[in-house]
Amino acid sequence: SQLRSRSLPQQYGERFASALAEALWSAWRGDFSTVVAIASIAGSASLRSRAERALCSALEALGQAVLGEVSLSRRQARYALALASLHGPSPHSPLDTRYQRIARTVAAAACVIVGDTTRGRRALTAKGFRGDADMQSLFRVVDSGRWEAAPPRIRGYARAIAEVRQGVASSLAASPLTPSEIAVLQLLADGKSAPEIARSLGRSVYTVRAHTRAIIEKFNAHGRFEAISRARRAGYLR
């Protein structure tokens, strides 16, 4: 609101802040195509710092997740984590330090949302992040969806993560699992193989494999393990 209430001077820092505000506003409205476009353009502009590019990539990863582009989302999230690495070059300014930490947290959230759970949660256990209450609060939105509980200074990002979380859950709900698929999913989550599941359910191995393929497709996953992870977040598994 402050950025929109007055004409912006040409200082590049404020122009970048304006782009971030527009991307977050688009996320709150559920317009994730615009989020991806803004993040892509802002991140590719000349003179962007490493931290700024990391934050743009993290926001792009969020947008791609809810648009169903799982591979692109995973790639952008990993790129953002690499740019925001605590072992990389030191940020040039306090603002860059803030961008770096938000980028790492948002990218970690995107990882978890698309099923790259281990990588996402590990990114927030680094020594420099374990004591950061703001970033830990922001990341908790992935599990709780309660963006209102985040501190005001990061609530905009929390709300964006919550919108993506809800959008992904809604897309999964649009293709609900059948009772047979749920039964197969539960046994897959227990570590059973296709022949073992077939014996347990009294079905053929071919039927079990067909159900497994359907489960993976409905969760827009790249394999059974990613499908299980997404199913657990969607509430199919406890």
Side-chain angles (χ1 to χ4, degrees):
S1 297
Q2 292 175 13
L3 288 165
R4 286 180 169 182
S5 67
R6 57 189 172 84
S7 58
L8 283 175
Q10 294 302 308
Q11 282 90 348
Y12 110 102
E14 290 197 4
R15 292 174 66 86
F16 182 68
S18 180
L20 287 181
E22 197 65 38
L24 291 176
W25 175 244
S26 298
W28 302 344
R29 292 180 298 163
D31 185 2
F32 295 103
S33 295
T34 299
V35 174
V36 171
I38 292 173
S40 177
I41 294 170
S44 63
S46 60
L47 300 179
R48 287 283 173 254
S49 69
R50 183 184 179 98
E52 289 169 339
R53 286 185 286 121
L55 183 50
C56 288
S57 293
L59 290 173
E60 192 172 350
L62 275 185
Q64 296 288 12
V66 76
L67 292 173
E69 299 291 346
V70 176
S71 296
L72 286 175
S73 177
R74 184 184 290 107
R75 191 180 312 141
Q76 286 294 336
R78 290 178 178 179
Y79 180 59
L81 287 175
L83 287 175
S85 171
L86 300 180
H87 304 294
S90 299
H92 298 297
S93 69
L95 191 57
D96 266 0
T97 299
R98 176 174 173 77
Y99 285 155
Q100 180 194 50
R101 300 180 83 79
I102 294 174
R104 189 173 179 86
T105 308
V106 172
C111 282
V112 173
I113 288 171
V114 297
D116 199 355
T117 307
T118 301
R119 185 185 303 273
R121 296 194 182 280
R122 189 171 58 215
L124 272 297
T125 58
K127 183 178 180 181
F129 269 82
R130 286 197 296 268
D132 191 325
D134 278 2
M135 296 304 108
Q136 296 297 333
S137 175
L138 180 58
F139 187 73
R140 281 196 292 273
V141 178
V142 176
D143 295 320
S144 69
R146 296 183 61 247
W147 60 268
E148 303 92 336
R153 54 187 167 271
I154 56 167
R155 196 170 293 160
Y157 294 98
R159 182 172 173 181
I161 291 172
E163 290 291 340
V164 171
R165 179 182 182 273
Q166 179 60 39
V168 171
S170 297
S171 66
L172 294 177
S175 300
L177 301 183
T178 66
S180 294
E181 289 166 351
I182 292 174
V184 170
L185 173 65
Q186 184 62 65
L187 292 171
L188 285 172
D190 291 339
K192 304 292 186 182
S193 65
E196 290 172 330
I197 295 172
R199 287 194 296 271
S200 296
L201 299 179
R203 307 288 180 86
S204 72
V205 173
Y206 303 103
T207 299
V208 170
R209 287 174 177 163
H211 285 322
T212 302
R213 286 193 298 271
I215 292 167
I216 292 171
E217 181 178 340
K218 286 183 177 181
F219 282 107
N220 197 18
H222 283 72
R224 66 169 65 184
F225 297 111
E226 184 178 325
I228 290 168
S229 177
R230 303 191 80 182
R232 185 166 282 113
R233 291 198 307 279
Y236 284 99
L237 298 169
R238 299 299 178 188

